[in-house]
Amino acid sequence: MSSTVSSISSGSLSSQIREISVAHSPDSDDAFMFYGLATNKVRVPGLKFTHTLSDIETLNRKAREGFYDLTAVSFHAYPYVQDQYALLPTGGSVGEGYGPMLVANKEYTLEQIKTKKIAVPGTLTTAYLVLKLFAPEIQTEVVPFDQIIPQILEGRYEAGLIIHEGQLTYAKSGLSRIVDFGKWWHELTGLPLPLGGNAIKRELGADLMHEVSMALRDSIQYALDHRDEALEYAMQFARDLDRQLAGRFVSMYVNERTLDYGIEGRQAILRLLEMGYEQGIIPHRPRVEFID
């Protein structure tokens, strides 16, 4: 049996009135894409969206419990929740030749870095999956993502795997980039690197899943159409970035690919997870299914 990508089609929209629990990371890119829904600029009659913000590794683990109706997840985590959740075709963070980075307190060769213990932001993050594809035997230790750079600077680790805004600030801290995994992945596969997406509980049913999917797409489109006000809202989550850098970071991960992965984006998700399965990092075969 091979891994598959399939779709769930909706029929007529459900008239059911209910609260939808939404969870995403407290990051400027997620805040930007959820701006419309979080501020009621985008409304759906009969639905109320309640928002919880938490770091991505916590969200990955909550998803395994089926905790939220709509949740951001790392693609690495998706095979662990695929029986409970399907993927939305919108809301993805995809690196177009850039992505999580392996940084260190000095320049190391690729062979040298593979002998170091790496501070990582969580074992269910996509960054961790790509690191293990790059160096299967590398030693790692989980550190909160926003503490990785400080702990390298304090000398607790020689190297770390950075995600989120750290991709733009590591050099200011005097660290050296050893590998950009978005670039490494593109050179290996010719594909963009899919990092995280939004998953929705299957038990909502096809009609309600589709309704929520369209609401998120409208929220992303609203932010793209009203960039200045959405960026102003996102700045409160920008962690030490000035407005110019925050705008750059948001543009990296909220764009046309966020509105729809496209064929190439979907192929990249499947390729990444299949490679993880084939190399024994993911214990069971992925089944990638989108709401369409």
Side-chain angles (χ1 to χ4, degrees):
M1 178 180 175
S2 62
S3 303
T4 60
V5 176
S6 56
S7 302
I8 298 175
S9 299
S10 71
S12 59
L13 291 180
S14 171
S15 60
Q16 182 181 7
I17 298 173
R18 64 160 295 170
E19 181 178 293
I20 302 294
S21 57
V22 178
H24 59 83
S25 299
D27 307 307
S28 50
D29 56 334
D30 274 14
F32 184 89
M33 74 173 75
F34 278 97
Y35 169 65
L37 285 175
T39 60
N40 291 317
K41 303 288 186 181
V42 172
R43 298 170 183 257
V44 181
L47 295 183
K48 178 185 177 183
F49 294 90
T50 59
H51 298 257
T52 298
L53 277 62
S54 190
D55 70 277
I56 191 61
E57 183 71 357
T58 298
L59 295 183
N60 289 335
R61 298 189 182 282
K62 285 286 188 181
R64 297 185 72 170
E65 303 169 18
F67 199 84
Y68 299 107
D69 295 322
L70 171 64
T71 184
V73 293
S74 299
F75 283 117
H76 181 200
Y78 182 70
Y80 296 89
V81 304
Q82 63 191 16
D83 290 339
Q84 295 186 77
Y85 288 90
L87 289 170
L88 298 187
T90 59
S93 295
V94 179
E96 304 282 350
Y98 47 80
M101 296 176 182
L102 189 54
V103 300
N105 56 7
K106 60 183 177 181
E107 292 282 354
Y108 292 108
T109 67
L110 295 184
E111 290 310 309
Q112 287 174 330
I113 201 67
K114 292 176 182 180
T115 68
K116 307 298 181 183
K117 179 179 284 187
I118 310 298
V120 299
T123 57
L124 288 177
T125 62
T126 304
Y128 177 84
L129 171 58
V130 180
L131 174 67
K132 283 294 191 176
L133 290 174
F134 166 75
E137 304 303 321
I138 204 165
Q139 288 189 305
T140 63
E141 191 165 305
V142 174
V143 173
F145 77 92
D146 57 352
Q147 290 301 307
I148 290 176
I149 289 177
Q151 292 201 20
I152 296 174
L153 296 176
E154 291 169 11
R156 297 186 187 182
Y157 300 92
E158 293 175 284
L161 183 62
I162 57 172
I163 58 176
H164 301 320
E165 292 90 346
Q167 297 167 57
L168 298 181
T169 63
Y170 73 92
K172 185 172 66 174
S173 300
L175 300 181
S176 299
R177 183 183 67 193
I178 309 302
V179 183
D180 181 327
F181 283 112
K183 181 179 179 182
W184 174 82
W185 172 257
H186 187 264
E187 290 173 350
L188 181 68
T189 67
L191 295 168
L193 178 59
L195 298 167
N198 281 275
I200 189 166
K201 288 182 79 170
R202 296 176 182 274
E203 67 180 30
L204 297 183
D207 291 342
L208 187 52
M209 287 192 292
H210 179 75
E211 205 168 357
V212 172
S213 178
M214 293 304 297
L216 177 56
R217 190 186 193 285
D218 289 346
S219 182
I220 297 165
Q221 187 66 66
Y222 184 90
L224 292 171
D225 291 343
H226 301 82
R227 179 178 174 78
D228 286 345
E229 65 181 76
L231 185 57
E232 186 64 33
Y233 171 80
M235 280 298 297
Q236 64 186 302
F237 306 100
R239 276 191 297 272
D240 300 325
L241 297 186
D242 59 29
R243 188 179 178 89
Q244 181 180 2
L245 275 181
R248 179 182 165 194
F249 181 73
V250 166
S251 295
M252 288 168 65
Y253 291 112
V254 187
N255 45 48
E256 291 303 312
R257 184 87 70 184
T258 314
L259 284 171
D260 192 296
Y261 293 101
I263 294 174
E264 186 182 49
R266 295 187 185 209
Q267 288 175 339
I269 296 167
L270 185 56
R271 178 80 177 273
L272 176 68
L273 296 181
E274 283 184 327
M275 286 176 66
Y277 172 70
E278 290 164 359
Q279 295 200 24
I281 304 166
I282 297 171
H284 48 269
R285 190 173 294 280
R287 189 180 73 255
V288 179
E289 191 170 22
F290 288 90
I291 303 305
D292 283 320

